[in-house]
């Protein structure tokens, strides 16, 4: 049997290999994956952005004609700071933490109107707008004392504003409030003045109490002197009784002392001859 030419076999094998390679490249270009926490839409060169939203998994796409656009639909935290004024014309630097995500069913519209960086385009502007609007309704001190109410108003208004851009806000909270140095010094001076006023009130009250105590003590001493005077006047033996009491106290003190003391009866306020 006649053998085939070697060149034809080589060319046939090469052609098959190229065909398989091209087929594999075509299949790979016709598939795209959507990871967990993501959603995808398609942009067609013919019809533009399609309304269908693709869930997680592997999907088909027409190479060159269609391009998949994948969005991260998980909630992303973002801190936004704003310098705004209060009702009493005090400047305050307030920081808000926002958890935002795109609405899944509105992804085609978001891509058409805002693009991929929708949060960068929308959130800073609406957060600053809402913070300035809400803070202008409160005094500087009320931002501290009514913080829960301020936070609730900010959250409600931000949710409404974000809905107009098809953005969902899962959480909005105030993380930091800082006032101007002038206001901080004024608050510290006010606190010091209040403490000084309380201290002055305490000193005045203590002086009144000491005055009352002195009056009561003087009245007691005067009453005691009157009682002693009446006792001496009405009972001559009262002085002798007091002398005996005093002599007993002196004798007890000397008896319990470690030192030996020799004194006469006159030192004890007790003249024995007067008793005989």
């Amino acid at each position: 049997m006649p053998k085939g030419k070697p060149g034809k076999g080589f060319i046939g094998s090469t052609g098959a290999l190229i065909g398989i390679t091209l087929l594999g490249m075509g299949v790979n270009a016709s598939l795209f994956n959507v990871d967990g926490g993501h959603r995808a839409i398609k942009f067609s060169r013919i019809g533009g952005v399609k309304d269908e939203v693709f869930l997680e998994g592997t999907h088909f796409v027409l190479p060159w004609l269609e391009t998949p656009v994948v969005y991260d639909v998980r909630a992303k935290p973002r801190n936004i700071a704003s310098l705004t004024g209060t009702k009493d014309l005090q400047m305050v630097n307030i920081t808000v933490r926002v958890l935002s995500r795109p609405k899944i069913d509105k992804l085609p519209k978001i891509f058409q109107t805002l693009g991929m960086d929708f949060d960068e385009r929308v959130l800073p502007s609406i957060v600053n707008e809402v913070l300035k609007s809400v803070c202008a309704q409160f005094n500087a001190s009320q931002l501290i004392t009514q913080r829960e109410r301020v936070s609730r108003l900010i959250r409600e208004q931000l949710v409404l504003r974000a809905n107009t851009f098809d953005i969902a806000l899962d959480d909005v909270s105030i993380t930091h409030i800082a006032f101007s140095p002038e206001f901080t010094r004024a608050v510290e001076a006010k606190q010091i003045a209040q403490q000084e006023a309380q201290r002055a009130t305490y000193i005045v009250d203590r002086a009144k109490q000491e005055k009352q105590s002195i009056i009561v003590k003087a009245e007691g001493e005067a009453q005691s002197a009157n009682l002693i005077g009446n006792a001496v006047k009405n009972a001559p033996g009262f002085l002798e009784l007091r002398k005996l009491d005093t002599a007993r106290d002196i004798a007890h003190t000397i008896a319990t002392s470690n030192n030996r003391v020799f004194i006469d009866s006159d030192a004890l306020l007790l003249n024995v001859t007067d008793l005989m």
Side-chain angles (χ1 to χ4, degrees):
M1 295 178 61
K3 296 181 179 180
K5 295 182 179 180
K8 291 185 178 180
F10 176 76
I11 294 175
S13 300
T14 304
L17 182 61
I18 294 175
I20 294 174
T21 303
L22 292 176
L23 178 62
M25 292 177 61
V27 172
N28 183 66
S30 301
L31 300 176
F32 70 95
N33 293 323
V34 179
D35 297 331
H38 294 70
R39 297 293 186 272
I41 60 175
K42 289 182 180 179
F43 172 76
S44 173
R45 295 178 181 271
I46 299 176
V49 178
K50 295 185 177 181
D51 295 333
E52 184 181 2
V53 177
F54 296 89
L55 303 179
E56 302 166 359
T58 301
H59 305 276
F60 291 97
V61 65
L62 295 177
W64 188 80
L65 288 178
E66 295 179 340
T67 303
V69 179
V70 180
Y71 274 91
D72 186 353
V73 296
R74 295 171 293 186
K76 292 185 293 185
R78 184 183 181 92
N79 292 326
I80 301 175
S82 176
L83 181 64
T84 182
T86 60
K87 187 176 180 181
D88 53 353
L89 303 181
Q90 297 294 334
M91 299 305 297
V92 57
N93 192 350
I94 183 169
T95 302
V96 175
R97 182 177 182 269
V98 179
L99 280 177
S100 64
R101 56 181 175 82
K103 293 183 177 181
I104 295 177
D105 57 334
K106 300 295 183 180
L107 287 179
K109 181 181 177 182
I110 292 176
F111 180 73
Q112 289 175 326
T113 57
L114 299 174
M116 296 294 294
D117 56 344
F118 61 93
D119 51 347
E120 293 284 349
R121 294 172 178 264
V122 174
L123 291 181
S125 60
I126 65 173
V127 168
N128 277 279
E129 177 188 353
V130 170
L131 289 180
K132 293 181 184 298
S133 174
V134 173
C135 290
Q137 304 175 27
F138 297 88
N139 294 330
S141 59
Q142 291 176 332
L143 293 179
I144 302 298
T145 58
Q146 302 182 27
R147 181 166 180 165
E148 183 177 354
R149 181 187 174 195
V150 174
S151 180
R152 185 179 69 254
L153 290 176
I154 292 174
R155 179 168 56 253
E156 292 174 353
Q157 295 191 22
L158 271 181
V159 169
L160 291 176
R161 294 286 289 119
N163 280 335
T164 61
F165 296 96
D166 300 314
I167 298 175
L169 300 183
D170 293 335
D171 181 65
V172 178
S173 58
I174 299 175
T175 59
H176 179 68
I177 296 178
F179 297 96
S180 62
E182 293 79 9
F183 180 78
T184 303
R185 286 193 293 268
V187 172
E188 292 176 352
K190 182 179 179 180
Q191 292 177 345
I192 293 174
Q194 291 177 346
Q195 293 174 356
E196 292 292 337
Q198 293 176 353
R199 183 172 179 272
T201 303
Y202 169 76
I203 293 174
V204 171
D205 293 339
R206 187 177 65 179
K208 290 180 179 179
Q209 293 176 358
E210 291 178 352
K211 178 182 178 181
Q212 187 67 25
S213 176
I214 292 172
I215 292 174
V216 172
K217 182 178 179 181
E219 291 177 349
E221 292 178 350
Q223 186 176 2
S224 176
N226 290 332
L227 292 175
I228 293 174
N230 293 332
V232 172
K233 180 179 179 181
N234 299 327
F238 177 75
L239 290 177
E240 297 299 332
L241 180 62
R242 296 299 298 268
K243 284 184 179 181
L244 290 174
D245 291 338
T246 304
R248 184 175 63 250
D249 293 338
I250 296 174
H252 177 73
T253 302
I254 294 174
T256 56
S257 176
N258 294 327
N259 300 323
R260 293 185 177 183
V261 180
F262 298 93
I263 59 176
D264 55 8
S265 58
D266 292 334
L268 288 174
L269 300 178
L270 182 62
N271 191 347
V272 180
T273 59
D274 293 340
L275 302 176
M276 296 178 62

